Amino acid sequence: MTLRLHNFFRSSTSTRVRAALNLKGIAYDYVPYVLRNGETRTPEYLAKNPQGLVPTLECEDGTFLTQSLAIIEWLEETHPEPALLPGDPDGRARVRALAYMLACEVHPLNNLRVLFHIRDQYGADDAAQKAWFTHWVTLTFDALETELAGSAATGTFCHGDRPSLADICLYAQVWNNRRFAIDLGQWPTIAAIFERLDGIEAFRDAAPVNQPDAE
Amino acid sequence: MTLRLHNFFRSSTSTRVRAALNLKGIAYDYVPYVLRNGETRTPEYLAKNPQGLVPTLECEDGTFLTQSLAIIEWLEETHPEPALLPGDPDGRARVRALAYMLACEVHPLNNLRVLFHIRDQYGADDAAQKAWFTHWVTLTFDALETELAGSAATGTFCHGDRPSLADICLYAQVWNNRRFAIDLGQWPTIAAIFERLDGIEAFRDAAPVNQPDAE
């Protein structure tokens, strides 16, 4: 039995894990869920993942791993090559900080359940949801652009010349941004890194549009 | 020169880093910022931390580390004892997943800049802000309680009998919850772990009320 990834094509946390698996050359079974049909709220799925969120990685021994960043750190520890984190602690701290800028400051505010909540609580229509989404993306992408453009540690990718955990989060977030047609041109360093990533098969194969359940 | 922690007493991400430093017995200088006075939006501070967020850890070589979880992973790598993560990859994945449940699903939705944004955008008054805060805490704390109460891996603390990164995030979030007087009694496992943590000097000394800039 191989690894099984319980996920959803459009979910950016799912995109992150798919990219990490692909970069490390790890085969996995793709198990799709339709979020809006409540397929992750069933008792069967909640037993795998009490939060009812995707992704969940089902291991060969029947263990279920949750939270995309925890899954990727586990992949890094159990399948070290190619490395998704640099070898030095300062470099690792920088890559993780860049990743968490996106994973802790952008994505949590912009996922579907939050957009539904502002719609239900505050009557936010499509335009208001786009404004909300754009606000949080812009706040962090401005800071991320400053950091990436201003640091000697930035290379072809977010940190040096090998794709890292930071690039995985960036790639997934930029795909997410496309749902609201956010123009990447205002952040030239981010845009250039995204284009390079999108030219790599492991990333491209992880993109929402290239999944079996893509609409 | 020792480490300098640029932080704010009430910030729960600052509480996390203070607890990690204390648990590892690392001395540091405490540099307080008053967020509402814009002290983290000055050019001087933005040069340290382009997001204008706390905490920032200033290292002895002049490096600035940002993002609380990246700082704690760095502390774990550079000062391994006592360990804040288990030794086995599955255990590390569980601890990180528990930590990220709080760090990626609760805190980002409930920090001050989000509460101010729903006030400014949607006219959310104090009661509406409390409802918003409580909604996101409840959603994740319900799942966290299920996971902690149902797993054989839970011990005196979130994972076994030694405080971990998960406990650090839990401790900081429960302090944050107190701003909105959220009753912890509905989550008995979480409440019991919090009480045990609060009896440990390293945690207690990291609590918002015990900081020099506490109001």
Side-chain angles (χ1 to χ4, degrees), chain B residues 95-170:
Chain B
V95 167
R96 287 193 176 108
L98 295 170
Y100 301 157
M101 284 175 72
L102 297 164
C104 299
E105 316 286 355
V106 181
H107 177 263
L109 288 151
N110 283 349
N111 64 27
L112 271 188
R113 68 181 186 180
V114 178
L115 298 178
F116 288 165
H117 191 66
I118 62 171
R119 178 195 65 193
D120 298 343
Q121 286 294 306
Y122 300 120
D125 59 12
D126 288 353
Q129 290 178 39
K130 177 174 177 165
W132 171 276
F133 189 103
T134 304
H135 174 78
W136 300 113
V137 167
T138 303
L139 202 58
T140 294
F141 271 49
D142 283 352
L144 186 62
E145 177 69 21
T146 299
E147 167 60 30
L148 291 173
S151 168
T154 305
T156 310
F157 301 111
C158 288
H159 190 82
D161 297 324
R162 295 207 319 202
S164 70
L165 175 66
D167 298 292
I168 286 173
C169 290
L170 184 151

Side-chain angles (χ1 to χ4, degrees), chain B residues 56-77:
Chain B
T56 299
L57 186 67
E58 183 176 352
C59 299
E60 299 177 17
D61 65 358
T63 305
F64 296 101
L65 303 181
T66 64
Q67 286 288 337
S68 62
L69 297 178
I71 294 170
I72 296 173
E73 295 270 2
W74 181 89
L75 289 170
E76 182 76 353
E77 293 176 358

Side-chain angles (χ1 to χ4, degrees), chain A residues 138-140 142-143 146, chain B residues 33-54 113:
Chain A
T138 304
L139 202 57
T140 294
D142 283 352
T146 299
Chain B
Y33 290 76
V34 181
L35 303 192
R36 69 170 171 275
N37 292 356
E39 293 181 3
T40 59
R41 305 300 311 171
T42 63
E44 291 74 19
Y45 189 76
L46 289 169
K48 298 176 174 66
N49 182 323
Q51 289 190 282
L53 299 175
V54 285
R113 68 181 186 180

Side-chain angles (χ1 to χ4, degrees), chain A residues 97-207:
Chain A
L98 295 170
Y100 300 157
M101 285 175 72
L102 297 163
C104 299
E105 316 286 354
V106 181
H107 177 263
L109 287 151
N110 283 349
N111 64 26
L112 270 188
R113 69 181 185 180
V114 178
L115 298 178
F116 288 166
H117 191 67
I118 62 171
R119 178 195 66 195
D120 298 342
Q121 287 293 307
Y122 301 119
D125 59 12
D126 288 353
Q129 289 178 41
K130 177 174 176 165
W132 170 277
F133 190 104
T134 305
H135 174 78
W136 300 114
V137 167
T138 304
L139 202 57
T140 294
F141 271 48
D142 283 352
L144 186 63
E145 177 70 21
T146 299
E147 167 59 30
L148 291 173
S151 168
T154 306
T156 310
F157 301 111
C158 287
H159 190 82
D161 298 324
R162 294 206 321 201
S164 70
L165 175 65
D167 298 292
I168 287 173
C169 291
L170 184 152
Y171 188 74
Q173 184 60 48
V174 170
W175 271 100
N176 213 14
N177 290 357
R178 291 187 173 185
R179 288 175 42 218
F180 287 97
I182 293 177
D183 175 21
L184 206 58
Q186 54 194 309
W187 306 290
T189 311
I190 295 173
I193 291 172
F194 175 80
E195 285 308 318
R196 288 182 207 116
L197 295 170
D198 205 39
I200 297 172
E201 192 175 359
F203 280 93
R204 193 74 203 167
D205 287 350

